[in-house]
Amino acid sequence: MKKIVFPAFALCLSMLTPASALAASTHEDLQDRVDAAKLVLDQILTTPDNTIPLNILNMARCVAVIPSLKKGAFLVGAEYGRGLVTCRTGHGWSAPAFITLAGGSFGFQAGGQATDLVLVAVNDHGFQDLLKSKFKLGGDVAASAGPVGRNSQAATDWKMSAELLTYSRSKGLFAGVDLNGVSVTQSTDDTETYYGVAHSFESILKGDVAVPDGAVAFVRTVAHAFLDAKANH
C-alpha cells in the first residue's frame, strides 16, 4: 500500500501546485489575493442566513481568508492554498500578513474543486497560534467547524476549548468544515514582497505596521463586520 499511496499523494500535490507553490509571488499576485479575500468576505457577510454568527464575529480576535484553496484527489486527497490574516488591535484591525495552508487526507476520491476558507481565532490563544511560524490544526491548535447563521442557535454549542473556528465556501454553500490535520505556515517571503521590506508577523498583527493602500478595503471589510456584530449582538 505504501508504494501506491505516497507516490500518489506526491503526484497529486505536484499537479496542484507547480506554478503557485514553486514560483515566487509578485506584488501583483499578492494584490490579487488581497482583493479575492475581500470579495470572499463581502459575499459571505452579506447573506445573513448563511454567514458567521454575530456572537462569534463579536469575539473574533483574528480573521484569516484563503481564497480558492485547491483540492484534488488521486487515491489520496491533497490541499494547498495561500491567503492572509488580520488581527484586532487596540486601535482597529491590523495590516494583513500572508499565510500558506497545506495538508492531505486519505480517501478514494476523484476530481478536484476550489474552496474558499475562513479561519476565525476566537480568543487570545488563537492569536498567539498565528504568531507561530507553523502549526497544525487539531494537533498543535484546537480547531472546530464553526456554526453558521447570523443568529444561529448552534453558535453556543461549539466546543468552548476551540481556539480557531473553521469555515468553507464552495459553489455558494457556506458551512463549518473540519480542517484537522491541515498545517498553517507563515508566508514570510510573500509578506516581505508585499510590503517591500521584512516585517515580523508579530509586528504586523499587533498593529505596528501601517495598512498598505491596497489592503485598506480588505481590512475595512473585517472592521465593519466586527463593529456591526458589536452593535447588534
Side-chain angles (χ1 to χ4, degrees), residues 155-227:
T156 59
D157 297 335
W158 55 273
K159 299 177 182 178
M160 296 304 293
S161 60
E163 300 168 20
L164 290 172
L165 295 180
T166 53
Y167 296 89
S168 71
R169 189 189 69 145
S170 180
K171 297 181 179 179
L173 177 63
F174 183 67
V177 63
D178 182 1
L179 295 179
N180 286 331
V182 171
S183 294
V184 179
T185 308
Q186 295 179 0
S187 299
T188 53
D189 289 346
D190 285 349
T191 300
E192 182 173 350
T193 297
Y194 192 68
Y195 287 91
V197 295
H199 289 299
S200 69
F201 265 52
E202 184 171 7
S203 64
I204 295 174
L205 298 182
K206 286 189 173 181
D208 297 333
V209 177
V211 179
D213 290 344
V216 167
F218 168 74
V219 174
R220 187 174 292 159
T221 296
V222 177
H224 284 174
F226 172 76
L227 290 174

Side-chain angles (χ1 to χ4, degrees), residues 26-48:
T26 65
H27 188 278
E28 290 73 19
D29 294 333
L30 297 172
Q31 187 58 56
D32 288 344
R33 198 177 305 163
V34 173
D35 295 341
K38 178 191 180 298
L39 180 61
V40 169
L41 287 180
D42 283 340
Q43 293 174 342
I44 290 172
L45 295 172
T46 54
T47 51

Side-chain angles (χ1 to χ4, degrees), residues 92-111:
W93 285 78
S94 74
F98 292 84
I99 58 174
T100 298
L101 186 149
S105 57
F106 291 89
F108 293 91
Q109 305 172 25

